[in-house]
Amino acid sequence: MDSFTSFLCLCSIIFQSISLIEAQASLCRTTCGDIPINYPFGIDDGCGSPYYRHMLVCSNLGNLYLRTPSGRYPVHSISYSDPHILVTDPLMWNCRDGDHFRPTRPFSLDTSTPFTLSSQNDYLFFNCSEDYVIVEPKPVFCERFPDRCDSSCDSASYLCRHLPECADALSASSCCSYYPKATESLRLMLRYCASYTSVYWKTIGSTTNSPYSQVPEYGIRVDFDVPVTTRCLQCQDPSKGSGTCGFDTQTHNFLCLCKEGNVTSYCKGHDISKHKRAGVIAGTVTGISAAGAIGIGIGIWVLKKVRAKAPVTCGVQSNENRVF
């Protein structure tokens, strides 16, 4: 009876491993909540471009996050026509805070990735110490000290005088606008300022030449590049099978992910069975059956080694039921 129970425990572990490989047979998810996930991004490993691997995370509740060296940030939207991601930082100042400032953190990006902070962002800093920060109205200050213009924080900023959505939120606090050229500059500013927030200029309508075609909104705009390759275009081509662009999770080499398996070119007209791989997105039944056969073989070998009267505690190892 003990040997039979050991066999059941072992079979349970084997079937869990097989189920894991089966889960990899599903194609890449194309949404997280109501946000579309298209190339070059992927929320399943092996999907999209390897340059953006593990950058986006979709929670069990359907919330999308961008991972950066400074933390995880909720993604508000993704635009693929004008490639950018809009993220928010819950620790940044917002209208509800008013003159009360909470501890915050400097936002940063990994410079080795194809992400860049958009020039359409403006940063507002609050209650900065004038002993360490040059807080001056820029037009006048820059005329007098042109060599120090870039290092000044503009107290005459339009956004400070017209805070988006809450123009009168600040009653006893100072505000100035400054664009940090590097993460270290942002850290230094936050060392001498109570808090900060980011405002991006959102394009409205289709008339980009109009001076009134942009409105300020809170958030951080992060621009990204779309690495377009001939193989990816062929893979996505409906006449060639409408595959999904992906990559081998071990080598990062390009793969076209098809319903029947993976190929290195495009889905239609290729013998996909020759390119099936286990352990990569869109894995195959062949990989599953092989894993099952190996697992059962190991199970039989282990059962021969287990002592017949050894107590069984499935998943718990003691000196009495230790196999190795």
Side-chain angles (χ1 to χ4, degrees):
M1 185 64 179
D2 289 339
S3 297
F4 179 72
T5 309
S6 299
F7 180 74
L8 289 179
C9 290
L10 196 57
C11 286
S12 174
I13 295 171
I14 292 171
F15 287 128
Q16 286 176 5
S17 301
I18 294 174
S19 298
L20 178 61
I21 298 175
E22 283 182 324
Q24 293 174 330
S26 61
L27 293 177
C28 308
R29 286 174 288 174
T30 56
T31 60
C32 178
D34 58 355
I35 299 178
I37 306 298
N38 300 330
Y39 185 84
F41 299 120
I43 51 178
D44 298 296
D45 200 13
C47 298
S49 168
Y51 295 111
Y52 294 99
R53 187 181 188 184
H54 302 317
M55 295 293 180
L56 295 181
V57 179
C58 186
S59 72
N60 293 333
L61 298 177
N63 298 318
L64 189 64
Y65 296 90
L66 173 67
R67 297 176 59 185
T68 80
S70 54
R72 288 189 180 190
Y73 298 88
V75 175
H76 182 267
S77 62
I78 301 178
S79 171
Y80 296 95
S81 56
D82 176 21
H84 71 271
I85 298 177
L86 180 62
V87 302
T88 58
D89 184 353
L91 296 181
M92 282 185 175
W93 181 90
N94 59 61
C95 289
R96 295 186 300 273
D97 291 332
D99 291 307
H100 303 283
F101 302 105
R102 297 169 288 115
T104 186
R105 60 187 172 184
F107 179 83
S108 66
L109 290 173
D110 186 347
T111 55
S112 66
T113 66
F115 286 126
T116 56
L117 279 174
S118 173
S119 58
Q120 296 183 32
N121 294 322
D122 276 321
Y123 301 91
L124 306 181
F125 294 84
F126 306 104
N127 280 3
C128 297
S129 171
E130 296 190 24
D131 293 335
Y132 300 96
V133 179
I134 303 174
V135 181
E136 295 284 350
K138 259 197 171 180
V140 176
F141 182 80
C142 291
E143 287 182 7
R144 295 176 57 193
F145 306 100
D147 56 327
R148 301 171 65 188
C149 181
D150 289 342
S151 59
S152 63
C153 193
D154 186 11
S155 59
S157 163
Y158 169 85
L159 290 174
C160 280
R161 292 181 287 111
H162 303 86
L163 288 170
E165 304 173 15
C166 52
D168 301 324
L170 299 178
S171 58
S173 303
S174 63
C175 171
C176 63
S177 175
Y178 174 71
Y179 190 92
K181 297 185 182 300
T183 302
E184 187 58 32
S185 300
L186 181 54
R187 290 195 185 99
L188 287 173
M189 287 292 290
L190 289 179
R191 185 180 300 176
Y192 303 117
C193 301
S195 187
Y196 85 122
T197 193
S198 174
V199 177
Y200 78 103
W201 290 91
K202 178 182 178 181
T203 301
I204 56 175
S206 57
T207 309
T208 56
N209 294 327
S210 169
Y212 304 105
S213 62
Q214 291 184 320
V215 294
E217 289 192 4
Y218 294 104
I220 307 170
R221 173 173 165 147
V222 178
D223 294 337
F224 63 88
D225 297 325
V226 181
V228 179
T229 65
T230 302
R231 286 189 297 179
C232 182
L233 292 175
Q234 289 181 338
C235 172
Q236 295 174 326
D237 190 343
S239 66
K240 290 180 169 55
S242 297
T244 300
C245 297
F247 58 92
D248 188 304
T249 55
Q250 295 180 348
T251 65
H252 286 189
N253 291 335
F254 173 81
L255 285 178
C256 184
L257 311 182
C258 312
K259 292 181 180 179
E260 296 82 8
N262 306 325
V263 294
T264 56
S265 52
Y266 49 88
C267 302
K268 192 173 182 179
H270 284 74
D271 186 2
I272 293 178
S273 62
K274 293 181 180 179
H275 302 280
K276 290 180 178 179
R277 301 171 60 92
V280 182
I281 295 298
T284 67
V285 177
T286 303
I288 296 170
S289 59
I294 294 171
I296 293 172
I298 293 174
I300 295 172
W301 180 83
V302 170
L303 279 176
K304 291 181 179 179
K305 296 291 184 180
V306 176
R307 290 178 298 175
K309 296 183 179 180
V312 176
T313 53
C314 190
V316 179
Q317 202 176 68
S318 67
N319 288 331
E320 294 182 337
N321 75 338
R322 190 180 301 275
V323 177
F324 299 103

